[in-house]
Amino acid sequence: MLKPKSSKIPKATRYQNAAIDYYMGLTNSDYLHYGYWEPLPTVGEELTLTRLRAAQAAYTAKLLSFIPEGIKTVLDVGCGIGGV
């Protein structure tokens, strides 16, 4: 019988990965940010996961709108999980 390999991933990293997996499963979204809310929600307005996902997509669209036409590559400086 093969002996299971010991994990060489640091404990803190395993906890961070578990937290990311939990958040992404909870929101059913590939984004790890709160989104771009336009217009801003009013006091007492119900905030739902559906609206959060829409705001997250709006944030990504807003960021991408700043990239000039014709640009084919972008340098990712390691901020986040690299989904977008």
Side-chain angles (χ1 to χ4, degrees):
M1 174 179 247
L2 292 174
K3 199 173 178 183
K5 292 182 180 180
S6 63
S7 176
K8 295 191 186 234
I9 300 172
K11 189 182 246 184
T13 301
R14 288 196 310 265
Y15 287 131
Q16 290 167 348
N17 289 346
I20 289 169
D21 288 344
Y22 175 77
Y23 175 80
M24 293 174 81
L26 179 69
T27 62
N28 195 26
S29 172
D30 291 333
Y31 302 114
L32 292 178
H33 55 75
Y34 297 113
Y36 180 72
W37 297 80
E38 180 80 18
L40 290 174
T42 59
V43 174
E45 185 177 358
E46 183 178 7
L47 302 178
T48 63
L49 287 176
T50 301
R51 292 192 58 209
L52 170 65
R53 287 189 295 271
Q56 290 173 321
Y59 179 76
T60 300
K62 185 73 169 177
L63 287 178
L64 294 176
S65 75
F66 292 110
I67 300 173
E69 185 119 359
I71 297 297
K72 301 287 185 211
T73 60
V74 175
L75 174 63
D76 182 341
V77 295
C79 300
I81 61 171
V84 177

